[in-house]
Amino acid sequence: MTAPAPKKFKNPRAQYNFQGRTCSITGVGSYVPERVLTNAELEKRVETTDEWIVTRTGIRERRLAAKNECTSDMATQAALRAMKRAGVTAEQLDLIIVATVTPDMVFPSTACLVQRKLGARRAAGFDLEAACSGFIYGLEIGQQFIMSRTYDTVLVIGAEKLSTIVNWKDRNTCVLFGDGAGAAILQNRPQSHGLLTAVMGADGDKADLLCVPGGGSRCPASSESVAAGLHFLRMEGRETFKSAVQAMCTAAAEAMRRCEIEISQIKCVIPHQANRRIIDAVGERLGARPEQLFINVDRYGNTSAASVAIALDEAVDSGRIQRGDLVLLVVFGGGLTWGAAVIEW
Ligand code: UT7
């Protein structure tokens, strides 16, 4: 019998002794609400055009959650799909992590509400706030719990109802965002099919570039704060754009360096879906071929923490990613925060 060919990449965690623990992504799932909001409809709400939105962002439509559908509802739907694929029951879940900037309430956490909706009585749960970078942060944290033998089965969700914090009168931002959720099940499995490495970064000096100023302890809700529009999302687009391209490229390069791989070895690059021009710029700087890039920003806009989670599920579901393929996730968001992860699928 011939020995199997050596893998042409390095697993940076292999140097540590995890005593046989390996963490795999055993299932992914996503959910987007039914209601489609087209650029043509936005033309009637604010002074904009389909042509401007498509050429400056690549977005053609986005999804809007129903009035009575909140972040935990979308998160639960995505979770159920991921659990079905993984063959995991609610009783098996040890931990639920929800990455979101649009929780159902200030507290309790959306994770606790998802726990109730799933009936996952054994599971601990907490929310994670790293804006659009939350899903990679969540995968890395979930993996750490598994490698440290604390838990065997972790549910990581990125879910957002951004339509509730968008100012529908501000053309600079209202055309950009959408609602949705994506989820992944992480499990201790002998055959590792999961994160080889994850890079995470932050720069609080640029916190003001992208934020919701009101509603927290610095500026609690009042009739004045509502009148001043402080509960809406604000973004300095141009500066955010520049920071995004730079941080995403640096993080992706570092993740690939750790795994000793070239971009040509990556089957599918899944960037945060904020703007087609950012995706193209990042792809070009990394030396990726256009067909390596996964793009769904045209259909969903920017769904923040849900963005790469939905994209990963769609890439798997459509057969773009097969067992053994290398996948590169790369994200960027408010904080500022960023991250990149190499996955052996
Ligand atoms: O998820 C977190 C990460 N988010 C991002 O990374 C988003 C980063 N930023 C961007 O994607 C882009 O900066 C935007 C899409 C937000 C804006 O594109 P831009 O090419 O940077 O445009 P701009 O901000 O330089 O604005 C150009 C012009 C402005 O008019 P003036 O001041 O030049 O007269 C805007 O008022 O376009 C105007 N404009 C619009 N016009 C029609 C802004 N929004 C619109 C609109 N329709 N919806």
Side-chain angles (χ1 to χ4, degrees):
M1 237 176 53
T2 50
K7 290 186 173 177
K8 293 191 180 68
F9 59 84
K10 181 179 158 187
N11 182 345
R13 297 188 212 258
Q15 62 189 299
Y16 304 108
N17 181 6
F18 289 109
Q19 299 180 324
R21 297 291 281 190
T22 54
C23 176
S24 289
I25 300 177
T26 54
V28 286
S30 65
Y31 170 85
V32 290
E34 254 172 61
R35 164 84 163 96
V36 175
L37 178 67
T38 63
N39 290 350
E41 283 176 83
L42 283 168
E43 283 179 350
K44 292 179 201 146
R45 293 192 187 192
V46 287
E47 204 183 322
T48 190
T49 59
D50 173 58
E51 200 258 336
W52 190 96
I53 302 171
V54 172
T55 53
R56 306 310 291 169
T57 73
I59 301 167
R60 294 182 185 276
E61 56 188 44
R62 67 290 290 145
R63 298 299 179 99
L64 291 188
K67 259 213 167 90
N68 61 354
E69 185 176 39
C70 42
T71 298
S72 67
D73 294 317
M74 293 186 281
T76 302
Q77 289 306 317
L80 287 170
R81 290 170 191 185
M83 288 160 62
K84 193 170 177 202
R85 292 246 181 82
V88 160
T89 63
E91 284 289 326
Q92 278 174 270
L93 296 176
D94 296 311
L95 174 67
I96 300 170
I97 303 172
V98 177
T100 187
V101 294
T102 47
D104 286 19
M105 296 179 243
V106 173
F107 78 89
S109 70
T110 302
C112 287
L113 303 172
V114 170
Q115 187 240 29
R116 177 169 69 187
K117 285 175 184 172
L118 290 175
R121 278 169 298 189
R122 288 182 48 252
F126 63 85
D127 285 4
L128 179 169
E129 209 275 72
C132 307
S133 308
F135 192 65
I136 285 187
Y137 272 59
L139 290 177
E140 173 67 359
I141 294 167
Q143 167 141 334
Q144 299 285 347
F145 275 111
I146 286 174
M147 300 306 261
S148 67
R149 295 176 177 264
T150 311
Y151 295 127
D152 286 327
T153 305
V154 177
L155 167 62
V156 180
I157 306 172
E160 303 283 11
K161 189 174 179 181
L162 293 170
S163 56
T164 56
I165 57 166
V166 159
N167 179 353
W168 291 102
K169 292 183 179 144
D170 176 14
R171 69 174 185 174
N172 289 291
T173 50
C174 78
V175 302
L176 304 173
F177 299 97
D179 302 333
I185 299 286
L186 303 181
Q187 287 185 286
N188 176 43
R189 282 279 179 275
Q191 287 287 317
S192 174
H193 289 285
L195 256 62
L196 293 173
T197 194
V199 174
M200 301 189 295
D203 180 4
D205 283 345
K206 293 186 179 162
D208 295 337
L209 282 187
L210 182 47
C211 63
V212 177
S217 57
R218 188 175 77 171
C219 175
S222 64
S223 45
E224 289 81 17
S225 72
V226 172
L230 298 182
H231 302 276
F232 291 130
L233 178 153
R234 293 182 179 186
M235 178 169 72
E236 290 185 35
R238 250 176 268 192
E239 279 311 306
T240 307
F241 189 113
K242 277 189 250 166
S243 298
V245 174
Q246 201 188 351
M248 289 168 82
C249 290
T250 308
E254 170 61 13
M256 289 192 289
R257 189 197 62 73
R258 287 186 195 171
C259 298
E260 297 180 0
I261 53 171
E262 311 275 332
I263 189 75
S264 59
Q265 290 172 258
I266 301 280
K267 179 69 188 305
C268 189
V269 181
I270 302 183
H272 173 48
Q273 308 283 316
N275 184 322
R276 177 69 199 251
R277 286 156 54 221
I278 295 178
I279 295 171
D280 289 342
V282 169
E284 198 178 308
R285 286 196 198 182
L286 292 176
R289 297 184 310 280
E291 62 271 22
Q292 282 174 284
L293 300 174
F294 189 88
I295 294 163
N296 64 12
V297 69
D298 51 325
R299 290 180 287 130
Y300 304 135
N302 182 349
T303 57
S304 189
S307 167
V308 289
I310 296 171
L312 177 62
D313 180 46
E314 290 196 340
V316 172
D317 203 38
S318 63
R320 283 274 300 265
I321 302 173
Q322 306 283 343
R323 267 278 172 251
D325 285 343
L326 293 178
V327 179
L328 174 66
L329 300 185
V330 52
V331 294
F332 177 84
L336 298 177
T337 55
W338 56 83
V342 177
I343 296 172
E344 181 195 8
W345 189 253

